[in-house]
Amino acid sequence: MSVNIELSSAFAIYTDDVLNIDVQGKTVREALHDLVRQFPKLKRVLLNDKGDLQQTYDFFINEQSIYPKNMALPLNDGDRLSILYLIHGG
């Protein structure tokens, strides 16, 4: 199943400026693991030791916020998964 991942520009240095990437996966986890398979430099900044999305990032499916993060969420063919850097501060 094909899913499009849209990355924020903060990831451009890890993907040779490619920010829209087609990946394969039935769940968010599978899609992200296919993404880091295609762009291995992303793995250390995007995923933690358990293979989950780092706490400093969030994702949206078809522009809908997914909170709390659930890596097992199913994806449908043609879905768009957006990954954004969370800005913290006070």
Side-chain angles (χ1 to χ4, degrees):
M1 148 169 352
S2 182
V3 175
N4 180 263
I5 293 185
E6 181 180 315
L7 298 171
S8 73
S9 60
F11 296 106
I13 61 172
Y14 304 105
T15 62
D16 299 323
D17 294 323
V18 177
L19 298 176
N20 285 294
I21 300 137
D22 290 325
V23 299
Q24 299 296 312
K26 295 179 183 177
T27 66
V28 171
R29 179 182 302 282
E30 288 178 7
L32 291 178
H33 284 264
D34 190 41
L35 174 67
V36 298
R37 181 192 60 75
Q38 293 181 49
F39 296 95
K41 293 177 189 175
L42 278 174
K43 186 174 183 176
R44 66 181 176 87
V45 296
L46 196 62
L47 303 178
N48 65 22
D49 292 340
K50 296 178 183 178
D52 293 331
L53 192 64
Q54 295 273 10
Q55 293 293 333
T56 54
Y57 304 109
D58 204 356
F59 63 86
F60 295 75
I61 298 174
N62 299 325
E63 299 182 19
Q64 281 194 323
S65 177
I66 304 302
Y67 183 84
K69 295 176 199 174
N70 180 355
M71 297 287 285
L73 278 172
L75 295 171
N76 297 308
D77 196 39
D79 277 351
R80 183 175 57 228
L81 180 63
S82 302
I83 302 172
L84 301 172
Y85 180 71
L86 298 174
I87 298 175
H88 300 273

